[in-house]
Amino acid sequence: MKAVIMAGGQGTRLRPLTSNQPKPMIPIVNTPCMEHIVRLLKDHGVTEIVVTLQFMPEEIQDYFGDGSDWGVSIGYSIEDAPAGTAGSVKLAEEHLEGERVLVISGDALTDCDLSRVLEFHENNGAEATMVLKSVENPLDFGIVITEEDGRISRFLEKPAWGQVFSDTVNTGIYVLEPSALAEIPSEGEYDFSKELFPKLLEAGRPLYGFVTEDYWEDIGNLEQYMRAQRDVLDGKMRGVRPPGTRLRENVYVGQRAQVDDEELEGPVVIGENVRVDEGAKISPYSVIADNVVVRAGATVERSVIAEGTYVGEGAELLDALVGRSSYIQERARILERSALGDDVIVGEGATVAPDVKIFSHKTVESGANVTQSLIYETMGLRTVFKGGVVSGKFNVDLTPEFTIRLASSFGTELDPGSVVTLGRDASRAAQVAKRAMTSALLGVGVNVRDLRAAHAGVVRHDVLAGKSVAGAHVRAGDDPDDIEILFFSSGATPMSESDQRAIEKVFVREEYRRAHGADIGELIYPGRAVEQYVQRLEMAANRKKTEGATLVVDFSGEVASLVASRVFARLGINAVVMEGFTNANVVGSPGTSRSAAPAAPGTPGDDPGTHFAEALDRVGRVVPTVGAAFGAVVGPTGEDVQFVDDSGEFVPPDVMLACFLERMRPEKVVLPINLSRGYEELVGEGGGALVESRTGLGNVVIKAAEVGADVAGLADGHYVFPDFLPAPDCFVTLARALELFREGLLAESLSGVRARFGEPFGAVRRRKLECPWGAKGRVMRGLAEKFGADADAILTDGVKLNLVGGSWVLMLPDPDNPLFYVYAEADSSADGTANGSGNGFRAGSEGLVSEYAELVEGLIRSE
């Protein structure tokens, strides 16, 4: 008799355990499940084996080879397409040579007495014998009823509870005569339980069931997998001895393992080359595979850890499953019934909640609390908001389910019956996400004003006008596959960090408010939101200075263009609107960066992206032809604007900010702390004062609203005029630029103004350093200890040092990424230049940034 081991299944219910390996290769006490079956067959004298394969066949072939290491002969039959359980055996027929066949699953665990099964089969003259087993919950199996002599009278595949008429189920172990195999068609999918056996039963052919009392466990899900591990450790399965030296009755330790075996309490299995530091605790029912490191203070309890995993100091694994080559950092907690795939990183102090699955190659950030499974998502986030924005890849990070949870958390923090304004750009992903948000908000008892397709400025105005208490805008991100969600407070400013944390708390705990009956929110479609926005803009602009002016503008093919005709008509502007630029979402495009720590102007990587550059070039060619005051390319968000002057030449955004400040002569300006000191000098020359804010657009906007600034900006194309809206908006930016740079009417041409400034403006240099999450606190503590007593040190955002002669250095951790930035600018007076118009002191800036970057790197490396 030959045996066929069915080993083609993917084991989808066992993921993430089977994400990177076939189900028969999952380890049971550090031995692949299929190896237990091969040994069982050998013990019962079955030495000629054919293995049917489909999913990742090379994994099984490489491990078992020809079977000689186990004293058997193994051949393989690979399915190119699914053939069903019976069909796969039929495909292996060339290896069977017309003999009786024992069919057994390679991904179930059993010590079934196969010799007794064969004896039963022969004594009854059976054509097919099924091995049966009584189980507590038969819902996931095929139920079988037999007569007193074992002949099968009825069976039903995977019934509902109302169909359960027996607790005796099909184990998937069969003995088949060649005549039964002959009934299987040579092509197409064909199943034993659904087709072959019903056919034999209907024909009255000898079909028998052998009820075994031996151990059998179908490893169909993670719960069954963990139970199988414990059963083997408890000795419930005969003939299985875990690898390693048996120290005591149920304690097994592999070669070269570094562990205090006196501290081990069985049952427990420790693999080869395992290192368990003093002070670590390995509790009963734990299985640790080869090459695992468990550091001091860690706790492993009733858990299975796969090969090559590192468990950091003080980490806790409680009834958990951890895949291969994973990295559990210090004080991380992996709680009950959770499962991690291969190559998962769990950051320092993070918690993986009970029943959570984290698929392979994912990263859980330090301090994160992961309460839902990470399957398609790329990361388990320490925070939901980054830079005040929620962003990610649509249907990967930001799925509709994620968006519903986010909006439910947002709405729960608002009073029942509150009104929220929602808008979106023209992308389909944003449309889907906004609809998900709408349903979630209505479900928590919040009314929604749906502005449909509208740029963010219209949404902000609706909130600022008192139509709602908060707002949100969904739009495409820097990458076309990304979306981002902006949230606005009652003043139309970005949501404060405290409000963000409050939403995240609800999000993590999933403590959403639920509305019922009349308390469910109402969906409102306001009719004049755009018109009211235009009216507000008309009131904020000086029509006398804009009327009759000409400009050339490209709106990047996005929703801001829907408002443009009404805006320009109200302000009397002759606008040449360029069409056709529809792909500004290119990394490196000016104005698209919304990171918390933007690059210093003039640093490498600030050049326009290809598509954006083409748009600027196209606009620049038209401007002189039509006699326009200037040209502009508006970013896809409708917020940032890049300019070309009246001669058609591109004006870098850092220089353009200087032009605005020089012509406006504002009384109060807000700029982020990492920009050139030349701006402060420029504002001071006009009799104004500069207020520094933390880096990031959201922080700049909030500070500008707090202090009542005349203008604020980032030197990347985002300009904020709080008297109109407390946020960047392309239309008020264009109106202000016409008021300032329209030649005549006491204004000066843009080309004339920009000629007074060098490029780039100032000499800020930047260095980006990789800094693990766990090192950030240590680095900041070291900087504070070193410079905290310095009266000129500013510690509000990183550590900024004001040095001799106007030079300065800023050392700033990135809040959303494992990075640290060092900015520096040397004293510009050294070469006799002003307002950052010279380049002679760049070497000084480079020297400064190198000096302090070396200091920060030393703190990063220190323990």
Side-chain angles (χ1 to χ4, degrees):
M1 181 177 68
K2 292 185 177 181
V4 174
I5 298 178
M6 308 282 287
Q10 294 189 28
T12 54
R13 291 186 297 156
L14 276 167
R15 292 177 181 170
L17 185 64
T18 53
S19 296
N20 299 312
Q21 63 183 336
K23 186 179 176 184
M25 293 300 293
I26 58 173
I28 306 293
V29 290
N30 291 346
T31 299
C33 183
M34 183 173 145
E35 183 172 342
H36 292 296
I37 299 302
V38 171
R39 293 183 184 278
L40 177 68
L41 292 171
K42 173 67 165 51
D43 290 344
H44 289 276
V46 183
T47 58
E48 294 186 62
I49 302 171
V50 180
V51 181
T52 63
L53 305 173
Q54 183 183 18
F55 178 67
M56 300 183 71
E58 64 283 349
E59 293 282 330
I60 295 175
Q61 289 175 302
D62 291 346
Y63 185 88
F64 288 98
D66 63 3
S68 57
D69 289 347
W70 290 267
V72 297
S73 173
I74 297 180
Y76 300 94
S77 174
I78 300 177
E79 300 175 44
D80 294 326
T85 55
S88 63
V89 174
K90 187 71 171 181
L91 289 175
E93 195 171 32
E94 61 178 294
H95 300 280
L96 304 178
E97 301 175 345
E99 294 187 29
R100 177 186 292 159
V101 174
L102 171 67
V103 178
I104 190 169
S105 175
D107 51 29
L109 194 62
T110 183
D111 61 3
C112 179
D113 189 338
L114 300 179
S115 299
R116 286 191 61 199
V117 174
L118 181 58
E119 181 181 0
F120 174 87
H121 176 83
E122 292 177 343
N123 290 342
N124 286 283
E127 194 171 7
T129 295
M130 305 170 64
V131 176
L132 311 177
K133 176 73 175 178
S134 294
V135 297
E136 291 183 0
N137 186 350
L139 295 186
D140 292 332
F141 308 99
I143 289 178
V144 181
I145 288 183
T146 62
E147 299 175 358
E148 289 186 4
D149 62 354
R151 195 174 184 111
I152 293 174
S153 59
R154 185 182 177 192
F155 55 79
L156 182 65
E157 187 71 11
K158 295 186 179 178
W161 272 118
Q163 299 172 304
V164 171
F165 47 79
S166 171
D167 67 348
T168 308
V169 302
N170 177 9
T171 65
I173 303 173
Y174 316 124
V175 179
L176 303 172
E177 294 296 323
S179 59
L181 292 175
E183 298 293 335
I184 303 172
S186 299
E187 296 181 357
E189 289 193 49
Y190 203 75
D191 192 89
F192 283 120
S193 298
K194 296 177 182 178
E195 289 155 306
L196 178 61
F197 295 150
K199 181 179 180 180
L200 297 178
L201 182 63
E202 184 178 357
R205 293 164 70 169
L207 179 62
Y208 281 78
F210 175 84
V211 181
T212 182
E213 299 296 330
D214 299 326
Y215 181 85
W216 175 83
E217 180 68 73
D218 175 60
I219 307 174
N221 56 44
L222 293 172
E223 180 182 357
Q224 292 169 337
Y225 173 72
M226 296 295 279
R227 183 166 62 237
Q229 299 273 5
R230 292 191 292 268
D231 287 347
V232 173
L233 291 174
D234 280 336
K236 293 182 179 180
M237 181 172 162
R238 296 170 300 173
V240 174
R241 183 191 182 284
T245 301
R246 183 177 180 179
L247 301 182
R248 293 186 293 280
E249 182 178 355
N250 51 9
V251 174
Y252 298 85
V253 177
Q255 296 181 11
R256 296 176 299 280
Q258 302 176 44
V259 59
D260 185 355
D261 54 76
E262 295 298 327
E263 294 295 323
L264 295 178
E265 180 183 352
V268 65
V269 178
I270 306 292
E272 296 183 357
N273 298 312
V274 168
R275 172 185 165 188
V276 180
D277 287 353
E278 183 178 354
K281 181 180 180 182
I282 310 297
S283 295
Y285 296 100
S286 294
V287 177
I288 299 178
D290 299 345
N291 305 308
V292 168
V293 174
V294 182
R295 297 301 301 272
T299 298
V300 179
E301 180 176 330
R302 297 175 66 87
S303 297
V304 177
I305 304 176
E307 183 175 0
T309 286
Y310 179 96
V311 180
E313 294 182 3
E316 292 182 64
L317 278 67
L318 306 177
D319 195 17
L321 168 65
V322 179
R324 297 173 293 187
S325 302
S326 291
Y327 181 20
I328 314 301
Q329 295 184 8
E330 290 78 3
R331 299 184 305 284
R333 303 176 69 223
I334 317 298
L335 301 182
E336 293 86 349
R337 300 173 303 281
S338 55
L340 280 56
D342 298 340
D343 299 305
V344 170
I345 299 174
V346 180
E348 181 179 346
T351 298
V352 178
D355 299 302
V356 165
K357 296 179 183 179
I358 299 180
F359 277 39
S360 300
H361 314 298
K362 301 292 186 289
T363 297
V364 175
E365 293 183 356
S366 297
N369 184 12
V370 182
T371 60
Q372 287 200 334
S373 296
L374 300 180
I375 299 176
Y376 296 109
E377 296 88 345
T378 58
M379 297 191 79
L381 300 179
R382 184 174 53 93
T383 58
V384 176
F385 290 86
K386 290 194 173 184
V389 177
V390 179
S391 61
K393 293 195 178 300
F394 177 68
N395 261 342
V396 178
D397 301 306
L398 265 63
T399 61
E401 298 87 350
F402 176 95
T403 309
I404 287 172
R405 290 180 60 210
L406 176 64
S408 296
S409 305
F410 173 43
T412 297
E413 284 298 296
L414 301 174
D415 293 334
S418 298
V419 180
V420 168
T421 300
L422 296 184
R424 61 170 175 83
D425 69 8
S427 66
R428 292 185 179 181
Q431 185 175 11
V432 172
K434 185 176 73 64
R435 287 180 173 175
M437 293 186 68
T438 299
S439 63
L441 288 168
L442 297 177
V444 297
V446 171
N447 302 311
V448 173
R449 285 173 60 86
D450 187 352
L451 302 190
R452 289 166 281 196
H455 84 288
V458 178
V459 179
R460 288 190 177 99
H461 170 265
D462 200 66
V463 177
L464 192 62
K467 305 295 185 180
S468 58
V469 300
H473 187 260
V474 188
R475 65 193 187 191
D478 293 345
D479 186 292
D481 291 330
D482 290 354
I483 60 171
E484 55 185 30
I485 306 173
L486 287 70
F487 290 88
F488 313 130
S489 66
S490 58
T493 56
M495 187 175 294
S496 68
E497 290 183 351
S498 61
D499 287 341
Q500 294 173 28
R501 299 293 87 79
I503 291 173
E504 288 174 345
K505 183 181 295 185
V506 177
F507 182 90
V508 169
R509 296 179 178 177
E510 302 186 55
E511 296 174 344
Y512 317 126
R513 182 176 64 235
R514 300 300 186 192
H516 304 278
D519 294 332
I520 296 173
E522 178 185 359
L523 182 58
I524 305 164
Y525 292 101
R528 300 185 67 251
V530 173
E531 182 63 24
Q532 291 167 352
Y533 163 84
V534 175
Q535 289 174 356
R536 181 180 182 86
L537 180 62
E538 185 179 16
M539 294 173 61
N542 188 335
R543 184 182 173 100
K544 291 181 180 180
K545 293 185 177 181
T546 61
E547 189 168 18
T550 300
L551 62 80
V552 181
V553 61
D554 186 326
F555 287 100
S556 304
E558 294 295 337
V559 291
S561 63
L562 303 177
V563 187
S565 60
R566 277 184 269 190
V567 169
F568 295 145
R570 286 290 185 91
L571 299 182
I573 298 171
N574 301 316
V576 179
V577 178
M578 308 290 289
E579 298 290 345
F581 176 48
T582 59
N583 188 18
N585 294 319
V586 179
V587 175
S589 297
T592 61
S593 175
R594 289 176 287 278
S595 64
T603 56
D606 287 345
D607 292 336
T610 303
H611 298 285
F612 217 108
E614 290 174 355
L616 287 167
D617 181 66
R618 187 164 57 247
V619 169
R621 291 197 303 268
V622 176
V623 166
T625 304
V626 300
F630 54 79
V633 175
V634 176
T637 65
E639 295 180 335
D640 56 292
V641 184
Q642 304 296 320
F643 287 88
V644 296
D645 63 22
D646 47 297
S647 66
E649 293 296 319
F650 172 62
V651 184
D654 58 315
V655 176
M656 190 67 199
L657 177 60
C659 293
F660 268 114
L661 297 178
E662 201 272 345
R663 292 297 298 152
M664 283 185 68
R665 303 181 74 83
E667 293 183 4
K668 191 174 291 185
V669 178
V670 171
L671 297 177
I673 197 171
N674 62 332
L675 295 190
S676 171
R677 183 150 287 168
Y679 292 114
E680 183 177 10
E681 297 171 2
L682 188 60
V683 172
E685 289 172 2
L690 174 68
V691 178
E692 289 186 325
S693 82
R694 296 168 57 197
T695 56
L697 179 59
N699 293 322
V700 171
V701 168
I702 291 174
K703 177 61 75 172
E706 286 178 356
V707 304
D710 300 299
V711 65
L714 285 184
D716 67 350
H718 290 86
Y719 307 92
V720 182
F721 300 95
D723 61 332
F724 174 63
L725 280 179
D729 182 86
C730 65
F731 291 110
V732 72
T733 298
L734 294 172
R736 290 284 185 270
L738 280 176
E739 295 168 8
L740 297 171
F741 306 113
R742 181 185 177 190
E743 198 166 9
L745 299 176
L746 302 179
E748 186 177 357
S749 69
L750 180 54
S751 60
V753 177
R754 66 89 54 90
R756 295 198 284 272
F757 303 106
E759 297 179 13
F761 185 89
V764 177
R765 312 311 294 165
R766 185 188 75 160
R767 194 70 54 82
K768 181 171 70 173
L769 308 174
E770 294 186 1
C771 178
W773 282 106
K776 282 187 178 180
R778 183 176 69 247
V779 173
M780 288 300 295
R781 183 177 68 249
L783 293 175
E785 290 173 352
K786 186 174 182 63
F787 302 111
D790 186 341
D792 293 326
I794 301 173
L795 305 180
T796 55
D797 197 20
V799 177
K800 186 172 184 178
L801 306 178
N802 293 306
L803 307 176
V804 177
S807 299
W808 59 270
V809 174
L810 172 66
M811 292 160 283
L812 178 69
D814 189 304
D816 303 315
N817 299 289
L819 299 172
F820 219 98
Y821 295 96
V822 178
Y823 298 86
E825 185 178 33
D827 178 16
S828 61
S829 63
D831 65 344
T833 61
N835 296 338
S837 58
N839 298 321
F841 58 93
R842 283 197 191 173
S845 297
E846 288 287 357
L848 270 181
V849 79
S850 296
E851 176 185 348
Y852 283 88
E854 184 176 343
L855 169 65
V856 173
E857 286 179 326
L859 291 172
I860 292 172
R861 291 192 301 267
S862 66
E863 290 295 337

